[in-house]
Amino acid sequence: MPIKVREYGTGGPDVVLLHGGPGAAGYVAPVARGLAESFHVFEPFQRGSGGEPLTVAGHVADLHEVVAGYCTTRPPAVVGHSWGAMLALAYAAAHPADVACLVLIGCGTFDAAARQRMDAIRKERMTETRARRLERLAAEPSDPDERLRAMGRLFQRIDSYELISATDELERCDARAHEETWQDMLRLQAEGVYPSAFGTISVPVIMMHGAADPHPGRLIRASLVPHLPQLEYREWERCGHYPWLEKAARDDFFVALGTWLSRHMTVAESPPM
């Protein structure tokens, strides 16, 4: 069954925008709207659970269908947040000729050291109230998808610096999709597939990261640079995991994102009359 794709804007270079989670669709809509004046943005809702177990390869195949079906004139930029940034890298490694450039916003982790650092930062920020809430969520026999949604809202506050709004526009949570996809990514990392496979990527790549993001940007960058020597890094102070929602970083984030994409994408010239 075809996956859902939302479309924003009508002109400019194509951009494919990937949500994180895994299994958390819809919340990157503000980023899509922020780009829509200058770019033609496609926001796929990644495949949900229900059939065969989900894999990174399956998500890459789905994304290739989106790119082939919607981005018909030239390779698009692929912009991903968190897990979506990891998927963007996996896609570009498998289809290096089908991507113009990559933007990794709040990129996820590719080794145990980065995950341990992230867990330590979150533990430091975990108030007693939040800890009790997390324990209740883990113990409650509630719907797994609703539990994932509630945990996502709790961690959004832990992972942020000072939000403009806590509204995340999350449309769908899929706990099984989250577990299946993430376990497959961990397997691929353990087997040495990622990040080594990213050595096939030659297009421009930038990480855009908040200094207050528990996902340790500089550690993640260090794990990627041996395979992506062209990797650029932009960091904002007073900014967490969601730059477009941060009071101190939002405006500059959108300027930096739009400027970088424009610089690295070639708009096809109109044919002579």
Side-chain angles (χ1 to χ4, degrees):
M1 184 172 65
I3 62 175
K4 177 180 177 178
V5 179
R6 295 198 295 205
E7 187 174 354
Y8 305 77
T10 57
D14 293 337
V15 173
V16 177
L17 179 62
L18 304 178
H19 65 77
Y27 73 88
V28 290
V31 181
R33 292 194 297 268
L35 292 171
E37 287 189 11
S38 301
F39 302 94
H40 194 183
V41 184
F42 302 97
E43 179 201 357
F45 281 31
Q46 295 155 36
R47 184 178 299 275
S49 62
E52 294 293 320
L54 294 170
T55 64
V56 175
H59 287 299
V60 166
D62 284 343
L63 181 51
H64 193 52
E65 288 190 10
V66 171
V67 170
Y70 288 87
C71 307
T72 57
T73 58
R74 55 192 176 275
V78 180
V79 178
H81 176 250
S82 197
W83 147 255
M86 303 173 80
L87 177 57
L89 287 165
Y91 177 74
H95 300 278
D98 296 309
V99 176
C101 57
L102 297 173
V103 180
L104 317 176
I105 305 169
C107 187
T109 58
F110 286 98
D111 58 29
R115 283 189 285 278
Q116 289 169 2
R117 179 61 184 145
M118 178 181 70
D119 291 343
I121 294 170
R122 283 176 163 173
K123 186 176 181 180
E124 290 170 3
R125 298 180 184 177
M126 186 71 70
T127 64
E128 290 186 13
T129 300
R130 287 170 174 167
R132 287 195 297 270
R133 174 61 176 151
L134 191 60
E135 289 173 1
R136 287 197 299 270
L137 285 172
E140 288 172 359
S142 60
D143 177 83
D145 297 342
E146 288 305 311
R147 185 186 304 119
L148 180 63
R149 182 187 295 269
M151 291 179 69
R153 287 173 176 160
L154 188 153
F155 277 106
Q156 183 190 49
R157 290 165 173 78
I158 293 171
D159 292 352
S160 300
Y161 185 84
E162 186 178 9
L163 296 176
I164 296 170
S165 168
T167 302
D168 55 20
E169 300 193 37
L170 184 62
E171 287 206 6
R172 186 183 72 202
C173 269
D174 188 328
R176 179 178 161 190
H178 176 91
E179 182 67 15
E180 291 175 354
T181 301
W182 187 243
Q183 288 304 313
D184 192 52
M185 172 53 80
L186 292 179
R187 175 186 66 81
L188 291 165
Q189 291 183 20
E191 292 175 1
V193 176
Y194 299 131
S196 296
F198 304 153
T200 63
I201 302 171
S202 60
V203 299
V205 187
I206 187 170
M207 287 180 67
M208 293 189 168
H209 220 86
D213 188 343
H215 300 73
R218 294 178 186 272
L219 272 181
I220 295 166
R221 181 193 183 204
S223 72
L224 293 175
V225 164
H227 315 286
L228 291 167
Q230 75 275 32
L231 180 64
E232 301 175 49
Y233 187 80
R234 174 69 185 271
E235 187 175 81
W236 284 271
E237 297 295 330
R238 296 188 296 160
C239 177
H241 194 51
Y242 304 87
W244 64 93
L245 295 177
E246 291 280 2
K247 287 184 178 180
R250 181 186 186 279
D251 292 344
D252 192 51
F253 164 74
F254 276 113
V255 170
L257 177 59
T259 299
W260 192 91
L261 286 171
S262 295
R263 187 166 71 246
H264 291 288
M265 299 192 71
T266 302
V267 180
E269 295 183 0
S270 301
M273 299 299 291

